[in-house]
Amino acid sequence: MAQSTPDLPIDARQLIELVVAKGNDTQLLSLLKNLPVPPVEMIKQRILANDDPEIIAEMTAYLQSNPEGVGSQGMIGSGQNERIVPLSQGE
């Protein structure tokens, strides 16, 4: 199991691009919450375009407290507990 991006047996950038381009709302939200520096605007546009009120509300709440979308790694130092969200929820 990979502990960080360099440990992955694939190019993580390609995987991230694939999820941003073709992923479902849950996967997009997971990227937003877990990448150290996610492509916030691209993810935000995709989620808004899919028009799921529940996911939009979750994204909006997350971005209100974390507008830069620095991900869980960046929030650990701010006194918040790390929360890893899997990319797939077994759909």
Side-chain angles (χ1 to χ4, degrees), residues 15-77:
L15 178 60
I16 292 165
E17 289 171 7
L18 179 65
V19 173
V20 170
K22 307 246 182 217
N24 65 33
D25 286 342
T26 302
Q27 293 167 331
L28 290 166
L29 199 54
S30 293
L31 278 183
L32 182 65
K33 291 181 177 182
N34 292 303
L35 285 179
V37 184
V40 175
E41 278 308 309
M42 290 191 310
I43 292 171
K44 187 175 173 182
Q45 289 173 11
R46 283 280 325 280
I47 288 175
L48 291 172
N50 292 337
D51 204 28
D52 179 330
E54 188 176 315
I55 295 288
I56 291 172
E58 189 175 344
M59 176 191 68
T60 302
Y62 176 76
L63 289 175
Q64 282 177 344
S65 64
N66 186 8
E68 292 84 29
V70 293
S72 62
Q73 293 175 353
M75 292 168 43
I76 293 172

Side-chain angles (χ1 to χ4, degrees), residues 68-85:
E68 292 84 29
V70 293
S72 62
Q73 293 175 353
M75 292 168 43
I76 293 172
S78 65
Q80 296 187 18
N81 293 330
E82 182 176 16
R83 180 172 176 257
I84 301 298
V85 179

